[in-house]
Amino acid sequence: MPRRGLSLTVLVVNQLLAGVGVASGIAVAALLVEELTGAVALAGLAQSSSVLGAALVAIPLARLAVRSGRHVALATGYALAMTGAVLVIAAAASGWVPLVFLGLAAFGAGAAAGLQARFAATEVAAAGFEARSMSIVLWATTLGSVAGPLLAATGDAVGIALGLPPLVGPFLFSGIAFGLSTLLVATLLRLPKPGSMATDAAPDAPDAPDAPDAPEGTETDDELAPDRAADAGGAAPAAEPIGAWRAFSTAVREPRALFAILAIVCSHTVMVGVMVMTPVHMTAHGLSLSLVGVVISIHIIGMYGASPIVGWLVDRIGPPRVIAIGAGILVVAALIGILAPADDMLLVPLALGLLGLGWSCGLIGGSTLLTTSVDPAMRVPLQGATDAAMNLAAAASAALSGVVLGAAGFAGVNVVALLVLVPLGIAAVRSMAASRGVGVS
């Protein structure tokens, strides 16, 4: 459908801008906090504040999407992120450290909106192509996210030229990018409210042939359903809205849905915990901000660059197998991180690239499995609750990683990452056992 194609195009362009917005600031956030506070252990609180902010807005944005549409929710998230970038600049310029953390929390809304955009992509996808549509939108983040860290040194120079403290300039680029994202989705993106698209068929239902588009001005079956119910002698029943907590508590009791949730939460927690301490680890060993930017860019290429292939694999071999592949890649990345010297510019970028690739497999595989594992009425509330859970876990990981780095070094950070993957392995075994039990009975 033309509207689907236009919506997907707008999502792709928007992700380019949002990628610049998120990555420009995050590349230097931990260094900025360390500079302002003088404490390495507090550097992890930069990412914690941002991720916590993303967690706090995930459920409200999901509710807003149900009530007013995805475009309103996305525009709100990017507008909050733009405000956060402004607060960080003002706080750093004034030297008021608490305001920096508040600004970073608001900044996290941009990441929350970007993650919600992946679900928006599935709502405009043809049946059987949900993972590929999701991966295209995630892939679009690559250019912006890679450009963001590479622009860190340039942004820093621009900020200093404007009289700002060091490490603040990149947030100028973030604010501009998020402002453009807000305008784009608010004015051009128009999606039906979640739950009204064809992809909201029952979980695991066989694909139905595409129906021809209704002529303009013709009421669809969905639009006529309430009237038909009234004609039959009664008012159309109003569906009781399902809250995020109810959806989440119901889903975790189902092995397949729990596996999907843990794939998202564990992959994101591992990625954030290791990634956020990499710049601090490298600069502590004398490496330049430019080299930090290169490594973070390689990491982001791993996160998004291969996402179309990951999406194709999910649609081809199924989400559980792709999740398992991603978990294996994350284990390899953590092992390299344990063994690699900080100044090894072959192994450190390799570890960060694999870290991003494992995250991509876990996120796309887990998000697709989540979408197909629950009743359509639960999807959007559960999506919001899962994103909130993954960001809360990642916020705790980011905060803890600074303490672990100070006490046990970068190797210790990666050991903790391996421990985070244990619950995912247990859930995978339970899900397989449950599937076999269903098949036998």
Side-chain angles (χ1 to χ4, degrees):
M1 289 171 53
R3 186 173 68 175
R4 289 187 176 190
L6 176 61
S7 296
L8 189 60
T9 300
V10 172
L11 285 171
V12 166
V13 175
N14 176 73
Q15 288 300 95
L16 294 175
L17 293 169
V20 172
V22 172
S24 294
I26 290 301
V28 298
L31 297 175
L32 177 61
V33 170
E34 182 185 5
E35 178 73 19
L36 291 173
T37 63
V40 175
L42 293 179
L45 292 180
Q47 185 75 4
S48 292
S49 299
S50 180
V51 176
L52 182 60
L56 291 176
V57 302
I59 292 176
L61 287 181
R63 289 176 179 168
L64 189 58
V66 172
R67 185 171 65 249
S68 303
R70 287 283 192 191
H71 66 288
V72 176
L74 293 177
T76 300
Y78 294 131
L80 284 172
M82 178 183 65
T83 302
V86 173
L87 288 177
V88 169
I89 294 170
S94 64
W96 192 27
V97 175
L99 190 58
V100 172
F101 293 113
L102 179 62
L104 288 171
F107 189 82
L115 289 170
Q116 190 181 109
R118 79 189 191 275
F119 291 120
T122 67
E123 291 162 8
V124 297
F129 290 84
E130 292 86 356
R132 271 168 276 193
S133 293
M134 182 189 301
S135 67
I136 289 171
V137 170
L138 288 174
W139 176 84
T141 313
T142 306
L143 294 179
S145 296
V146 170
L150 292 176
L151 290 172
T154 302
D156 191 35
V158 170
I160 292 173
L162 294 175
L164 296 172
L167 301 175
V168 178
F171 283 94
L172 285 173
F173 292 169
S174 294
I176 293 171
F178 282 132
L180 292 174
S181 291
T182 303
L183 290 175
L184 180 64
V185 297
T187 57
L188 296 181
L189 184 64
R190 288 295 180 270
L191 293 177
K193 292 181 183 179
S196 64
M197 297 299 291
T199 52
D200 286 332
D204 299 325
D207 295 343
D210 292 337
D213 295 343
E216 185 175 355
T218 302
E219 292 178 295
T220 64
D221 287 342
D222 288 341
E223 292 166 341
L224 289 171
D227 293 336
R228 289 173 179 166
D231 291 340
E240 180 184 354
I242 298 176
W245 172 247
R246 177 182 165 192
F248 191 81
S249 60
T250 301
V252 296
R253 293 195 291 268
E254 297 293 333
R256 182 177 169 90
L258 178 61
F259 181 37
I261 291 170
L262 286 177
I264 297 170
V265 172
C266 293
S267 298
H268 194 63
T269 301
V270 168
M271 185 274 291
V272 170
V274 176
M275 181 273 292
V276 70
M277 284 298 106
T278 300
V280 178
H281 174 57
M282 292 177 65
T283 55
H285 287 78
L287 298 179
S288 68
L289 185 60
S290 295
L291 287 177
V292 170
V294 169
V295 171
I296 297 300
S297 293
I298 291 172
H299 167 66
I300 293 171
I301 290 174
M303 290 174 66
Y304 301 115
S307 58
I309 298 175
V310 174
W312 175 82
L313 277 176
V314 170
D315 287 333
R316 186 79 174 180
I317 67 175
R321 292 178 181 176
V322 174
I323 293 170
I325 292 171
I329 293 173
L330 289 173
V331 169
V332 173
L335 291 175
I336 295 175
I338 291 171
L339 300 174
D343 58 353
D344 191 321
M345 288 308 293
L346 176 61
L347 292 180
V348 172
L350 176 61
L352 267 290
L354 290 174
L355 183 72
L357 181 59
W359 173 89
S360 181
C361 292
L363 188 77
I364 296 175
S367 298
T368 305
L369 185 61
L370 188 71
T371 300
T372 59
S373 295
V374 298
D375 186 87
M378 288 177 53
R379 280 185 195 162
V380 177
L382 181 58
Q383 289 165 358
T386 302
D387 280 358
M390 85 171 181
N391 282 308
L392 285 172
S397 174
L400 179 63
S401 63
V403 177
V404 174
L405 182 68
F410 196 59
V413 172
N414 282 275
V415 169
V416 172
L418 290 175
L419 295 177
V420 171
L421 293 173
V422 173
L424 177 59
I426 296 173
V429 173
R430 288 189 59 199
S431 179
M432 285 191 298
S435 297
R436 288 173 181 171
V438 170
V440 172
S441 60

